[in-house]
Amino acid sequence: MINGLGMSREMNIEIMDTTLRDGEQTSGVSFLPSEKLQIAKLLLEELRVDRIEVASARVSEGELEGVKKITHWASEKGYLDKVEVLGFVDTPKSVDWMVDAGAKVLNLLTKGSLNHLTHQLKKTPEVHFEEIADCIQYAEERGIEVNVYLEDWSNGMRNSREYAMSMIRFLSELPVRRIMLPDTLGLLCPEEVKEFLGLICTEFPDMHFDFHAHNDYDLSVANVLTAVNSGAKGIHTTVNGLGERAGNAPLESIVAVIQDFTNFGLNIQETKIYRISKLIEQFSGLRIPANKPVVGENVFTQTAGVHADGDHKKNLYFSDLLPERFGRTRKYALGKTSGKANILKNLVELGISLEPDELAKVTQKIIELGDKKERVTTEDLPYIISDVLQNNSIHRDIVIDGYHMVHSKGLKPSVQLRVKIFHEFYEQNASGDGQYDSFMKALKKIYKSLNKELPKLTDFQISIPPGGKTDAFVECVITWDLDGRIFKTKGLDSDQTIAAMKATEKMLNIIEQIKNSNKTEKKNPYGNEYSPIAW
């Protein structure tokens, strides 16, 4: 197997995901037992992580129920040795709790720094070591396999290295499967990780060491990359980087970095990452930032037109971090910096081909929306195209040239309106039951002064593109009856009243075309009499 840098794979790194234990320590996050089971199934069966840590022993009855659900399912599926529970040096309590829960792997929490041991437990190393040995022996007697956490190991290596090394030396002589080295406070930098792990892995080459990173300095991914290159055989992660304070090393980023920047392999099914990430987002109630690597909404979206143009010509802005790897697709955003290239990419997806002048007008419309800081989505594009094409087919002899609207509590809305009819300007004021009603009353005053009649409004609809994902505009569709001729006009804008006014402006121009057509005795441009026409 070859990675993104062309290096052959030598061995696999174990991924132990602790979303269900350490991830649940995120402020405000608590998974239901049924949610825990679904997450466990997806992590082990779909994503295929090597191990999962699902709970802390003795926390609550709900925690016990959740672990029982998971261990029952895992036992049936042959995954029980992949399900781990954090426990404490409290013989026999944590081990008995695990036996009751049906679990088989204990992650024993010990003190990895002399500072924690002295000031929190108020014990000597000799007493702590003896209690650890007793707990491991009891677990072995109850059929429980043991891994050992060295809590605050990073501070231990900084400030009490002799103690930390003596702890590892002591554990190496006990029936311990893995020694787990947490950067509990997320305080290490890559240079320290390289120094500490390099020293430990050199002195204990036959031991399996896991590295557990926190992200307080935003260095968790960099530290993990350094850890695997320095001898760590296992890495702890959480989906979406959940965890206490700034969170843990995010699984999605860790997978991409190990795959692309090391010669180590993984058992992970990358294409399942996004699906599981979105499920955890729903269960946790914590939204994924739009710019979060791998799983964020925007990370595979090109916005700049020059990037879309480069991709169109020869995938010039592609990298090994392809969206398809993670079950996603590349998108080309629509906004004021998009340019024609982004729009063309989206049009190809929709199977639409526009003339150059039409494409220019669609581009200009999107730029206008972008200048208003409106978000345009792919779902919006057909609406914008429809509006542009309809505008092209109507002569703008009549223009709503200016307006001032007032809407305040306790008073009727009012509008001051100026309309340009051919080359003349007309102004009127009116108040009504709403802003659009006020607008129509002012417009009727202008037309009445000119002895002109307006068609009857028979239907009025406001909507957004299907899916309700846009915040860029609404569409207003108004149905009119002009002496029995039924036709519709549409308006698009970020404000629904303005959208309605634009639809009305189209109507004013259409009725002028109808009158001119009747005067010259041309064929009815709207089809058969009384046929419904949409503009």
Side-chain angles (χ1 to χ4, degrees), residues 21 55-60 63 67 85-88 90 93-98 106:
R21 201 276 300 174
S56 296
R58 302 175 53 213
V59 168
S60 67
E63 196 84 327
V67 176
V85 173
L86 181 135
F88 310 97
D90 58 0
K93 295 177 183 178
S94 288
V95 172
D96 287 349
W97 189 94
M98 287 184 58
L106 166 66

Side-chain angles (χ1 to χ4, degrees), residues 2-14:
I2 304 295
N3 76 348
L5 297 179
M7 297 183 290
S8 61
R9 304 290 188 188
E10 293 181 358
M11 59 167 279
N12 274 7
I13 297 295
E14 279 189 354

Side-chain angles (χ1 to χ4, degrees), residues 154-372:
S154 49
N155 260 324
M157 290 300 289
R158 275 185 175 182
N159 306 313
S160 51
R161 185 172 303 188
E162 184 179 344
Y163 166 78
M165 295 300 289
S166 68
M167 167 71 90
I168 295 171
R169 192 172 298 110
F170 167 72
L171 292 173
S172 69
E173 298 173 357
L174 297 177
V176 171
R177 178 73 181 275
R178 303 174 185 88
I179 296 177
M180 306 194 292
L181 309 174
D183 182 12
T184 303
L185 299 178
L187 51 80
L188 293 182
C189 67
E191 288 78 9
E192 289 176 298
V193 174
K194 181 179 180 180
E195 177 191 350
F196 298 162
L197 267 166
L199 172 65
I200 289 170
C201 293
T202 298
E203 186 163 338
F204 304 97
D206 298 326
M207 291 297 296
H208 177 117
F209 293 102
D210 282 1
F211 180 65
H212 178 109
H214 280 261
N215 202 36
D216 296 69
Y217 281 98
D218 209 14
L219 287 172
S220 64
V221 177
N223 284 339
V224 164
L225 178 61
T226 304
V228 296
N229 284 327
S230 301
K233 296 179 180 177
I235 295 298
H236 296 186
T237 66
T238 58
V239 178
N240 299 341
L242 292 180
E244 199 167 25
R245 305 184 313 277
N248 292 37
L251 179 141
E252 52 278 3
S253 297
I254 296 306
V255 169
V257 165
I258 291 177
Q259 291 281 37
D260 290 2
F261 294 102
T262 77
N263 60 342
F264 301 110
L266 296 170
N267 292 323
I268 299 294
Q269 298 297 302
E270 286 185 326
T271 56
K272 306 294 185 180
I273 286 177
Y274 184 62
R275 173 184 168 191
I276 292 173
S277 170
K278 296 300 288 184
L279 181 72
I280 298 296
E281 179 184 47
Q282 292 301 314
F283 284 175
S284 68
L286 291 184
R287 294 293 163 257
I288 301 169
N291 62 343
K292 186 172 179 60
V294 180
V295 295
E297 182 180 351
N298 293 346
V299 296
F300 295 115
T301 299
Q302 299 279 31
T303 301
V306 66
H307 294 171
D309 181 60
D311 289 349
H312 180 68
K313 290 174 178 174
K314 200 173 174 58
N315 294 337
L316 298 180
Y317 293 89
F318 280 29
S319 71
D320 289 334
L321 203 64
L322 295 172
E324 291 78 12
R325 286 173 53 182
F326 310 103
R328 305 193 63 185
T329 57
R330 190 174 303 279
K331 295 181 180 180
Y332 294 88
L334 301 171
K336 65 180 180 180
T337 63
S338 300
K340 294 180 182 178
N342 273 22
I343 297 168
L344 279 171
K345 282 278 189 181
N346 283 277
L347 290 176
V348 168
E349 281 189 25
L350 294 170
I352 296 172
S353 176
L354 295 179
E355 295 299 320
D357 66 315
E358 295 168 340
L359 177 60
K361 290 180 179 179
V362 169
T363 302
Q364 185 57 39
K365 180 68 174 179
I366 291 171
I367 289 172
E368 289 172 4
L369 290 167
D371 280 336
K372 296 178 182 179

Side-chain angles (χ1 to χ4, degrees), residues 390 394 476-480 487-491 500 502-508 510 533-535:
Q390 289 168 8
I394 299 173
C476 178
V477 180
I478 305 177
T479 305
W480 308 94
F487 63 97
K488 296 181 180 181
T489 56
K490 300 177 184 178
K502 288 181 176 180
T504 305
E505 182 184 84
K506 288 181 183 178
M507 174 272 292
L508 298 175
I510 288 171
I533 303 297
W535 293 84

